[in-house]
Amino acid sequence: MSRAFLATGLLGALSLTLVTVPGASAHTPDVRLLGVTTVPNAMPFEGTTVGGLSGIDRDPRTGGYVLVSDDRSQLQPARFYTADIDVSADGLGEVTFTGTHPFTGRDGTPYPADSVDPEELRVDPWRGGYYWSQEGERSATVLSDPSVREATRTGAYVRDLPIPDNERMTETAGPRRNQVLEGLTFAGLGSLVVTALEGPLLQDGPEATPEHGALSRITVQGRRGPVLAQYAYEQEPIFAPPAAGGSANNGVVSILASDQADPTRFLVLERAYVSGAGNRVRIFEIDTSGATNVLSVDSLAEAKKVKPVRKRLVADLADLPLEHVDNVEGMTWGPRLATGERSLLLVSDDNFSAGQVTQVIALAMR
C-alpha cells in the first residue's frame, strides 16, 4: 500500500487569550497551539485526489484517524481516507495517509456524480463501523433529502437513519442549499446520534449577517433511528462586512461530544467566511440541558418562547499564533497528552482549489 507523509510546519506553546460571549460563563479552559501542517494541494493518493477534507475522527480501535472528503463523486467516487497523525504534548508530527475507500450505495457500487455530498464521519464506538452525513441537494431541478448513513469500515452501505420531517427538502421549506447536515457526533456512550445543521431552515428565519446572528437546529436521536429532540442554536453574527460585490456567511460545520458519557455537552465549530477578510473559526462549548425541545416547532422565526442551548467561547483561532486560517470544517478529540491536557485536531476543506490549503491543526486543552 502506498504511503505519503508530511512534516509539521509550526510548533506553538502559547496560551490562548480567551474571550467570553454574551450569555457565556466567565470560565473557559486554557487552549494552546500544538502545531499545524499542510497537505500538498491536489496530492495524489492511491488513484484519488486528496482534498475537500470536511470531517475527521479518531478511531479508538487503531489510534488512527478517518477523514471524509466532500467530493460529490465529481473527481473520483465519494470516499474517505485513513491516516496516522503523530500528536504529543510537544507538538504535531507527521500526517501519514494509510488508505482510502469509496462509499458504496445499496447496490454495492460507488455513488454516481452529484448524488451525495459527504460532510462529516464518525467512528461507531460500539461496532467500529462509520456513520456519515451528507447534505442532499436543493436546486431548480433537484430536491434531494439529506441523510445520515451507516457504513462498514470499507464504506459499504448498511442503512439510513430516519431524519426529522423539517429537514426534508420541499419547495418552500426545509434546509437551504449547502447548509444542511454538516455536523455529526455520537453521545451518551454511543447510544445517541447528534447532528447539526449548518444554517437555518428556510422557515426558521434569515441567515446570519454582520448585523445579526441566526437560529439553526441540533437534532438528537437514538443510534437506531428514533428522533428524540431538537434544540435551537444561536449562531454568531458575521465578523465583518464583505468587500464590495463580495459575499459573507457563517455556519455550524462540526459538532463533537465534550464527553462521551455526557449526553448534553458538545463542542460546536462555527466557521465564517468574508470576501476580502478571510475566515474566522471559533469553537464553542454548548449545553442542551434546559433548552427548549423544538422538534414540534414549525418555525423558530415565529415561535414566541424558545430557549436555545447555552454556549460559551472556548477558542477563537484568530487568537492563536497561526499565520493563516483556512476553511476549517472538521474536529475530533485526539489522545490524552502526558501533561494531562486533551488534544483536539481540526482539518480544513480546501474545496479542491489551488487558492486554498488543507490544514491539520492540533490544539491542547485543559
Side-chain angles (χ1 to χ4, degrees), residues 222-234:
R223 61 176 287 116
R224 297 297 296 178
V227 178
L228 305 172
Q230 239 179 20
Y231 302 104
Y233 176 85
E234 288 186 295

Side-chain angles (χ1 to χ4, degrees), residues 53-87:
L53 301 181
S54 61
I56 183 173
D57 201 29
R58 186 170 187 259
D59 188 339
R61 285 167 171 75
T62 65
Y65 296 82
V66 188
L67 302 102
V68 65
S69 171
D70 69 1
D71 184 354
R72 301 185 182 193
S73 294
Q74 293 175 333
L75 294 178
Q76 295 96 33
R79 62 197 175 278
F80 63 90
Y81 296 89
T82 55
D84 292 332
I85 303 176
D86 182 17
V87 184

Side-chain angles (χ1 to χ4, degrees), residues 72 79 134 137 161 177 186 192 211 229 279 310 333 337:
R72 301 185 182 193
R79 62 197 175 278
Q134 66 90 24
E137 178 63 286
L161 272 65
R177 186 175 191 271
F186 283 95
L192 300 174
E211 290 72 39
N279 298 286
R310 290 176 290 167
W333 293 114
L337 304 177

Side-chain angles (χ1 to χ4, degrees), residues 233-244:
Y233 176 85
E234 288 186 295
Q235 298 183 5
E236 300 298 299
I238 297 173
F239 65 95

Side-chain angles (χ1 to χ4, degrees), residues 320-360:
L320 290 169
L322 287 161
E323 293 183 5
H324 173 71
V325 176
D326 212 276
N327 180 36
V328 175
E329 289 198 351
M331 170 174 64
T332 186
W333 293 114
R336 178 76 67 172
L337 304 177
T339 55
E341 298 164 298
R342 299 180 77 181
S343 62
L344 184 73
L345 276 69
L346 312 175
V347 68
S348 69
D349 173 1
D350 68 354
N351 291 308
F352 296 98
S353 168
Q356 294 181 249
V357 295
T358 298
Q359 296 175 299
V360 175

Side-chain angles (χ1 to χ4, degrees), residues 53-350:
L53 301 181
S54 61
I56 183 173
D57 201 29
R58 186 170 187 259
D59 188 339
R61 285 167 171 75
T62 65
Y65 296 82
V66 188
L67 302 102
V68 65
S69 171
D70 69 1
D71 184 354
R72 301 185 182 193
S73 294
Q74 293 175 333
L75 294 178
Q76 295 96 33
R79 62 197 175 278
F80 63 90
Y81 296 89
T82 55
D84 292 332
I85 303 176
D86 182 17
V87 184
S88 72
D90 297 324
L92 176 65
E94 297 175 354
V95 177
T96 307
F97 288 87
T98 57
T100 184
H101 293 279
F103 292 112
T104 54
R106 290 178 175 86
D107 63 358
T109 63
Y111 289 98
D114 296 319
S115 61
V116 291
D117 184 5
E119 291 296 343
E120 186 125 89
L121 178 151
R122 296 294 179 191
V123 180
D124 180 356
W126 287 12
R127 298 183 178 180
Y130 305 131
Y131 280 48
W132 59 287
S133 63
Q134 66 90 24
E135 293 199 285
E137 178 63 286
R138 176 186 292 280
S139 71
T141 57
V142 176
L143 289 176
S144 173
D145 289 340
S147 64
V148 176
R149 289 181 175 161
E150 183 181 356
T152 68
R153 290 176 71 85
T154 58
Y157 177 88
V158 176
R159 64 190 176 93
D160 277 21
L161 272 65
I163 62 172
D165 287 341
N166 56 28
E167 292 181 1
R168 298 189 183 281
M169 299 283 190
T170 72
E171 291 185 2
T172 59
R176 289 172 160 86
R177 186 175 191 271
N178 288 336
Q179 296 189 40
V180 199
L181 296 178
E182 284 272 344
L184 168 69
T185 190
F186 283 95
L189 297 175
S191 64
L192 300 174
V193 173
V194 181
T195 53
L197 293 168
E198 181 175 4
L201 298 172
L202 290 172
Q203 63 268 34
D204 283 343
E207 302 169 69
T209 70
E211 290 72 39
H212 61 76
L215 286 174
S216 58
R217 299 194 187 213
I218 292 170
T219 300
V220 180
Q221 61 190 118
R223 61 176 287 116
R224 297 297 296 178
V227 178
L228 305 172
Q230 239 179 20
Y231 302 104
Y233 176 85
E234 288 186 295
Q235 298 183 5
E236 300 298 299
I238 297 173
F239 65 95
S247 62
N249 58 70
N250 186 38
V252 173
V253 291
S254 185
I255 188 169
L256 177 67
S258 294
D259 184 325
Q260 273 292 322
D262 188 335
T264 65
R265 291 191 306 118
F266 304 88
L267 295 185
V268 168
L269 189 66
E270 282 193 49
R271 186 272 338 272
Y273 170 76
V274 175
S275 56
N279 298 286
R280 186 174 184 185
V281 178
R282 287 170 283 189
I283 302 169
F284 296 89
E285 185 173 59
I286 68 166
D287 190 341
T288 63
S289 61
T292 305
N293 182 352
V294 297
L295 184 58
S296 61
V297 175
D298 292 334
S299 169
L300 296 180
E302 297 176 1
K304 294 182 179 179
K305 292 184 179 180
V306 169
K307 183 178 181 181
V309 301
R310 290 176 290 167
K311 63 185 289 192
R312 64 184 176 93
L313 182 65
V314 172
D316 185 336
L317 297 197
D319 295 331
L320 290 169
L322 287 161
E323 293 183 5
H324 173 71
V325 176
D326 212 276
N327 180 36
V328 175
E329 289 198 351
M331 170 174 64
T332 186
W333 293 114
R336 178 76 67 172
L337 304 177
T339 55
E341 298 164 298
R342 299 180 77 181
S343 62
L344 184 73
L345 276 69
L346 312 175
V347 68
S348 69
D349 173 1
D350 68 354

